[in-house]
Amino acid sequence: MNLREKAQIMDTAGMKRALTRIAHEIIERNKGVENVALVGIRRRGGPLAERLAKKIEEIEGIKVPVGILDITLYRDDLTTLAAYPQVHRTEVNFDVNEKVIVLVDDVLYTGRTVRAAMDALIDLGRPQCIQLAVLIDRGHRELPIKADFVGKNTPTSKLEIVTVMVEEYDGKDGVIIQEVVDE
Amino acid sequence: MGFEKRKDLLGIKDLSREEIEQILDTAVPMKDILKRDIKKVPTLRGKAMVTVFYENSTRTRTSFEIAGKYLSADTVNLSVSTSSVQKGESLKDTIRTLEVMGFDLMVIRHSVSGTPHYVARNTGIRVINAGDGANEHPTQALLDMFSIREKKKTLEDLKVAIVGDILHSRVARSNIYGLTKFGCEVRVVGPATLIPPEVEKLGVKSYYSLDKALKGVDVINVLRIQRERQQKGLFPSLDEYSELYMLRPEHLKKAKEDVLVLHPGPMNRGVEISSEVADGSQSVIEEQVTNGVAVRMAILYLMMGGTKDEIIN
Amino acid sequence: MRLLIKGGRVIDPANKVDKVLDILVENDKIVETGQNIYAEDCINIDAENKLVCPGFIDIHVHLREPGFEYKEDIYSGTRAAAAGGFTTICCMPNTEPVADNKSVISFIKEQARDKGVVNVLPIGAITKRQQGQELVEIAELFKVGCVALSDDGRPVVRADIMRYALEYAKMFSLPVLSHCEEPALSQDGQMNEGFYSTYYGLKGIPAAAEEIMVARDIILAKLTGAHVHICHVSARGSLELIRRAKEEGIKITCEVTPHHLTLTDEIVGSYDADTKVNPPLRSKEDVEVLINALSEGIIDCIASDHAPHHKEAKDCEYSAAAFGISGLETSVAVTMSLVHQGKIGLSDWVALNTIGPAQVLGLDKGTLNKGRAADITIIDPEMVKKVDPTKFYSKGKNTPFKGMEFKGWPWMTIRGGRIVFEDGKIKA
């Protein structure tokens, strides 16, 4: 499969601004962050959750707990995937019971990942509520799921691929849209 | 080739080092699940597995069963001693019956070496060897390797002594095949009557003296000695066996300071291992049991989790 | 009826003949051998580029009848023999009832006459019901036509009984064919003891289990002056004992099977019970020594130890499976591979299948002499074919050679002047 970059929809600064705004919204919505914890969905939700926690600490002076969720074992498409997903560890080293959990992911698309993440989270305990923060909402939902905090709404075609890059894994920050081109 | 592409897990002999690492890596998150309050993930919902044991074993069978259940597979035990075999049904007919019942995977233990291979040839169901005669016990070796790697942080270039009845031991063989793939120096030690012919060609060193074999080792794996071996005349008495080969605290001094002691269970305390060692600080025997569940979850996930299209027979 | 076999390469080792000749057969006898024979009113057989040999003899065959007709019977077994190029076979007595008395031997002979397509020479048991305790009525068995005695399938464990059997058999010049196995050492064994039994985790049968009995029987042969023939030699240690006994002038002969000459214990790793045979397939080193011994005259003949089994006896767990290989229909092709590989001379190979076995049992067979019974085996040395047990005439499809390709197959089998097998088909 060949991919061609179509457009950049967020650069480093844009990503930073979006995350700052989301941090503010999380604080505002929950009237402070005393009972809030962030849980990033592997992989790129992880670093995004870390960055949000840092921003929140800058603003509120409170360190919120951060965890990482591996949702492989909860996927509903295991039997149809050709490539086998490697299972990684879930690292949520705090009690999720009665917490406000903000799930963090890079792109919200069909909603299936979020569904799996909610199931995985509930198996760890019973949060007071679960909220959802995403950097990009590209539409095309297949489940009744809606994000509470969105960095940017980006209408896309199903043939396009939205790629979020983070410094930690990709060496740089940014969001691009790619499309598949025939060989 | 990834391990998930295999139809069957029949022995460590057939696995590459990469496949072993893949299984052990997958077992790490599985072990986390065992520590949770809710020890269940929906991964294998709608999949069915059956354990078929032609030899008694509570541990291995329970371990497979609970591993399946934690992954939400439906697990059934066929207790062979009480069912068809008594009526003279052939193994092949038993397999066919299970196949048409729609099982996705079969875990088989049999006293005859090679029977899982025979079963695998005769069915489309995926087969896991849970121990065949004196041939292999791959999941035991994998859980042993997992336990070693967890404590030693690596499997590479360790010195491992396997003590006891090597001749009849599938655990010994599977461990030898696995550990030598990681460059380990494997030593086998036991009475001459229980050391198999030409064992050195498997890439191991063989010893009769426990003290010599334990010198400088990182790991000691103690095997269970079966009483009937004495009855067959392979050694004079259990007392003499214990005198020569029971692992006692003073033996551990010959080994490395941080030596690990493993035993596949169930133990004959006071025969092949002293209680001081079995319950001592170097023993990981209990943790092996937990690791066994994690490793079997990893194997079940890799064998039943994904698409079947790419399975290579 | 007359047959004229024209232009074949005639190999008759007993007469040191190896050249292109014609052979004229009249009724059941060979009447003329020579160049450019002209004869009218006869069936012409164009044997150009074929090997024309004395009828092949297999002195170690299990025909299973009476008692185990679901494994094989005389009808199917003799057809398998003809298809395998054999004109004479000797059948072992481990039937049910055991061939330890006149009536069973007579029954076998009658069945062979009525239903068989090759010569069947019965071998009688050494001890009653092959129990190793009491001698059979040897004189009576000799009178009804047994050509040898054997408890094959099991050893005669008691040395005193073996001694008496040898002494008694000597009175009738009957060779005693010994299945050499010390059961205390072979007990529960599934394969050769060695590296591969360790590697595959199966209980081994040490070569010593065979060698000990070979040594004992050599000593008893020396003691009694009787003729002992060692069946299916598989271990190099046994061969060494036999070599020394022969040098000493003891009356010892021996046979090897096609599978022990060509397969090693490595192939047991498939856990396919078709590889399970007694004595077991041995190591590479053993096979090499066996092959060398073929041309050194230590081995007297090739014998298939044809041991057909029904499907269920092999389609099961390895240790539950029966021992044995269905060998009549592959023996020629399998051992001819050694000729093609240059490991044994063509004439030696023919001798091991003709005059060799005839001399072991003192049979008036195994040559193409004028006036002899017209038992002739014609081989196509260039024919290439894969072993396909489903096409066997034998009821036993149990062969580890299945799917393997061999060059050199029986093309025609003539028994007593009649063509019984031609170009892949039985003519009877």
Side-chain angles (χ1 to χ4, degrees), chain C residues 283-304:
Chain C
S283 70
K284 208 170 116 221
E285 292 75 21
D286 288 301
V287 171
E288 278 166 14
V289 173
L290 289 184
I291 290 172
N292 289 337
L294 283 176
S295 12
E296 292 168 6
I298 300 159
I299 291 165
D300 299 89
C301 64
I302 291 170
S304 72

Side-chain angles (χ1 to χ4, degrees), chain A residues 56-115:
Chain A
I56 289 170
E57 193 184 350
E58 281 169 24
I59 301 160
E60 287 286 287
I62 295 175
K63 258 193 161 91
V64 295
V66 180
I68 301 171
L69 208 55
D70 186 88
I71 57 126
T72 313
L73 297 171
Y74 291 84
R75 291 175 73 139
D76 62 2
D77 56 355
L78 274 178
T79 50
T80 56
L81 287 177
Y84 223 80
Q86 172 70 41
V87 189
H88 293 279
R89 299 181 81 160
T90 282
E91 291 164 52
V92 178
N93 301 315
F94 52 85
D95 187 1
V96 301
N97 282 299
E98 297 308 317
K99 284 245 162 39
V100 170
I101 301 289
V102 181
L103 280 175
V104 182
D105 204 0
D106 54 352
V107 179
L108 178 59
Y109 183 25
T110 62
R112 288 175 192 271
T113 301
V114 176
R115 195 281 307 161

Side-chain angles (χ1 to χ4, degrees), chain B residues 24-199:
Chain B
L24 301 187
D25 290 346
T26 306
V28 174
M30 296 299 178
K31 192 172 176 182
D32 293 339
I33 294 171
L34 298 179
K35 294 180 196 145
R36 303 187 338 200
D37 284 342
I38 300 176
K39 301 176 193 58
K40 200 174 182 81
V41 291
T43 320
L44 299 181
R45 223 172 26 165
K47 302 280 182 179
M49 58 181 267
V50 58
T51 60
V52 189
F53 276 51
Y54 287 87
E55 241 185 19
N56 288 332
S57 152
T58 334
R59 290 166 172 256
T60 307
R61 178 178 220 155
T62 309
S63 181
F64 269 110
E65 190 181 357
I66 200 66
K69 286 190 195 296
Y70 288 159
L71 290 170
S72 296
D74 289 305
T75 67
V76 179
N77 292 328
L78 184 75
S79 41
V80 180
S81 52
T82 56
S83 67
S84 332
V85 173
Q86 309 297 66
K87 297 176 199 152
E89 185 179 59
S90 79
L91 178 59
K92 201 170 187 178
D93 287 336
T94 307
I95 302 161
R96 286 280 153 75
T97 307
L98 295 172
E99 188 163 79
V100 293
M101 281 182 188
F103 286 103
D104 299 284
L105 182 138
M106 184 190 302
V107 178
I108 183 163
R109 166 167 290 189
H110 204 289
S111 59
V112 178
S113 301
T115 302
H117 306 69
Y118 169 79
V119 169
R121 264 204 306 275
N122 281 289
T123 179
I125 305 179
R126 305 183 90 169
V127 174
I128 296 178
N129 177 3
D132 65 322
N135 182 38
E136 284 230 43
H137 191 350
T139 59
Q140 178 70 44
L142 288 164
L143 80 87
D144 290 347
M145 287 192 275
F146 183 90
S147 306
I148 296 168
R149 192 179 77 161
E150 195 177 51
K151 299 289 179 199
K152 299 281 176 198
K153 308 294 170 215
T154 177
L155 275 174
E156 262 173 76
D157 304 331
L158 297 173
K159 290 189 172 70
V160 181
I162 305 176
V163 185
D165 179 0
I166 313 296
L167 179 65
H168 298 96
S169 178
R170 51 197 176 211
V171 176
R173 284 181 179 73
S174 287
N175 265 286
I176 290 168
Y177 304 141
L179 292 167
T180 49
K181 288 184 171 138
F182 290 86
C184 290
E185 179 188 319
V186 182
R187 305 169 178 181
V188 298
V189 54
T193 46
L194 296 177
I195 301 284
E198 302 184 47
V199 70

